[in-house]
Amino acid sequence: MGNHLSCMRKYKVLSVVVLILIGCYLVYSYLYKDHRDIASEKGSYLVSALSINEEFKTDENKANAKYLDKTIDVYGKISKIDTAENALIIDDKMFAVFKDQLPANLQQLSNVKIKGRFIGYDDLLEEMKMDQCLIISE
């Protein structure tokens, strides 16, 4: 009988150790998952900066469900170029941060089409944000 209890204790200890190892692996996998390569992803939507802004003003929850953390293509006019932040503002509504340095030939008020990951909408400023952007066409 004593031998049977010893065997049961070993089994419980081994089970706990295996569960801890599985838990550690899952946490590690979640925290250090592969980074997305936005440049190689196909855009889920092609939308103007003004029209996506209207969608957020109309129904923010629905628009978030549609766009949040998705790769999208956005087009419009360049309102501001911020070389220090490596960013553009399109139609005064979309703040886009770029992976690489902005091309030197970009000009304010010119048309642009970009691709990037949509990361959110600030309802106070009525401004949308994207990161990991790249220019598709000017």
Side-chain angles (χ1 to χ4, degrees):
M1 176 122 170
N3 198 15
H4 179 68
L5 287 175
S6 176
C7 227
M8 289 292 284
R9 281 191 198 118
K10 286 181 186 177
Y11 177 73
K12 285 182 181 179
V13 169
L14 184 61
S15 296
V16 169
V17 169
V18 168
L19 287 174
I20 289 172
L21 289 174
I22 290 172
C24 288
Y25 172 76
L26 292 174
V27 168
Y28 178 83
S29 296
Y30 177 76
L31 292 176
Y32 297 101
K33 59 186 167 191
D34 290 336
H35 294 286
R36 290 169 61 182
D37 182 15
I38 300 298
S40 67
E41 288 184 22
K42 184 177 181 336
S44 299
Y45 299 98
L46 171 62
V47 63
S48 74
L50 294 174
S51 65
I52 191 173
N53 184 262
E54 284 303 313
E55 285 185 61
F56 273 93
K57 285 170 43 177
T58 303
D59 188 343
E60 187 175 343
N61 290 332
K62 184 177 176 184
N64 267 323
K66 182 176 179 181
Y67 295 111
L68 195 60
D69 199 37
K70 294 211 172 57
T71 299
I72 61 172
D73 298 347
V74 175
Y75 60 91
K77 285 198 183 304
I78 299 173
S79 305
K80 184 177 179 190
I81 300 169
D82 187 343
T83 53
E85 294 290 323
N86 209 33
L88 293 178
I89 297 178
I90 300 173
D91 290 328
D92 292 320
K93 299 295 179 191
M94 178 67 74
F95 182 78
V97 178
F98 286 75
K99 275 180 65 166
D100 301 319
Q101 189 172 359
L102 291 171
N105 63 341
L106 284 180
Q107 294 182 354
Q108 213 167 323
L109 301 179
S110 62
N111 290 321
V112 69
K113 182 177 171 188
I114 65 170
K115 176 168 67 169
R117 179 177 66 124
F118 186 82
I119 57 174
Y121 174 73
D122 182 339
D123 58 347
L124 185 63
L125 299 174
E126 290 187 1
E127 184 177 76
M128 299 157 297
K129 295 183 174 141
M130 292 174 66
D131 70 358
Q132 302 181 45
C133 296
L134 58 124
I135 293 179
I136 298 173
S137 64
E138 297 172 50

